[in-house]
Every structure is written in C-alpha cells, then in structure tokens.
C-alpha cells in the first residue's frame, strides 16, 4: 500500500523530470570533481554487487518498499549536502533515482540533482570497478 501511495505522490514528478541523467563519461568527470554520489539501493543490493568507490550507501526505499523522507534528508544534511550542492544518485537501473531525484528537485528545492544513466547495471555493463560493501 505504501508503494502505491509513494508512486501516486511521485508519478507527477516523474513526468516533469528535472533530474539530469549522466552517461558513464559525464559521471566519471563529476566524481573526479568530488561531486557527492549517493547509492540509494538497499543493503542487500550493495552486498550483491558492491558499490562505486567513494559513493555513500544511503537507502531511500527499504526492502519492503517503505521510506522515511525526513530521515533521508537529515542524513544528506549530515553529509554536508544542501539544496545548492551537486548530488548524483545511483540505484539499480535509474528508476528509483529518477523518482527520488525529481522529488528532491521539484518538491524540496534541490538545484543540482543528477543520476547515473542506467544505474549500477549500466556501470557493471561498462566493466567499471566496484568495491565490496561491508
């Protein structure tokens, strides 16, 4: 039920989309410039594939589909990410990052939200390195 509520909340945002998708080359340039990368997948997903080096694992949706927007935002703030700081989101295939990124942009006023095009699956398909999640 929560998933349906969340989707109904985010579906209009998904249609107006302010999140910019970065291809692999653009993504790599951004991380060299020390742009924060936040992996919003679940711990199970991190353990399964590993994570991109220097990315911050910070779950948005729990395994059961639940979420806590305020806790997520508080953790971003603790990392020093405010509404004016660039932020790149990563998930499995860029579906969740699109929804979360659009929400951050359109509802919360984050000005520079990006996502890795195709998500971690795209990263893996390009034989890019991952580190083990502990």
């Amino acid at each position: 039920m929560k998933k349906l509520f969340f989707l109904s909340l985010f579906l209009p945002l998904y249609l107006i989309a302010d999140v910019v998708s970065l291809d692999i080359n653009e993504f790599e340039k951004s991380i060299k410039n020390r742009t924060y990368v936040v992996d919003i997948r679940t711990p199970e997903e991190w353990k399964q594939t590993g994570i991109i080096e220097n990315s911050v694992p910070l779950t948005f949706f729990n395994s059961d589909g639940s979420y806590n927007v305020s806790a997520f935002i508080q953790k971003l703030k603790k990392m020093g990410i405010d509404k004016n700081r660039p932020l790149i989101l990563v998930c499995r295939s860029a579906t969740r990052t699109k929804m979360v990124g659009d929400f951050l942009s359109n509802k919360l006023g984050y000005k520079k939200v990006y996502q890795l095009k195709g998500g971690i699956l795209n990263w893996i398909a390009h034989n890019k390195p991952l580190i083990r999640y502990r």
Side-chain angles (χ1 to χ4, degrees):
M1 188 65 167
K2 260 192 160 182
K3 280 185 182 180
L4 289 175
F5 173 74
F6 186 80
L7 288 175
S8 69
L9 178 68
F10 284 92
L11 186 59
L13 298 176
Y14 191 77
L15 298 175
I16 55 176
D18 281 340
V19 171
V20 175
S21 291
L22 301 176
D23 65 25
I24 295 292
N25 292 330
E26 294 166 322
F27 178 82
E28 289 180 315
K29 286 177 190 172
S30 293
I31 59 177
K32 284 180 184 172
N33 291 329
R34 303 205 186 277
T35 301
Y36 278 104
V37 177
V38 177
D39 189 327
I40 66 169
R41 297 177 300 147
T42 63
E44 294 82 18
E45 290 174 298
W46 301 325
K47 288 175 189 170
Q48 185 178 54
T49 62
I51 61 173
I52 297 170
E53 189 171 11
N54 297 320
S55 66
V56 177
L58 180 57
T59 297
F60 187 87
F61 293 103
N62 295 317
S63 299
D64 64 0
S66 63
Y67 56 90
N68 183 332
V69 174
S70 11
F72 183 80
I73 299 303
Q74 286 304 316
K75 289 175 184 173
L76 286 180
K77 287 180 181 178
K78 283 182 183 175
M79 292 169 47
I81 299 173
D82 63 26
K83 294 179 181 184
N84 297 306
R85 191 127 193 216
L87 167 67
I88 304 172
L89 301 173
V90 175
C91 72
R92 181 178 178 274
S93 63
T95 302
R96 287 173 280 179
T97 55
K98 184 80 168 140
M99 288 188 289
V100 172
D102 287 340
F103 179 75
L104 292 172
S105 268
N106 295 316
K107 293 290 185 184
L108 300 181
Y110 281 72
K111 296 181 179 15
K112 299 173 185 174
V113 181
Y114 305 92
Q115 70 172 354
L116 173 59
K117 184 178 182 179
I120 201 79
L121 292 178
N122 184 32
W123 186 258
I124 292 168
H126 282 84
N127 296 313
K128 297 297 181 177
L130 294 165
I131 60 169
R132 186 173 165 214
Y133 173 71
R134 301 175 221 165

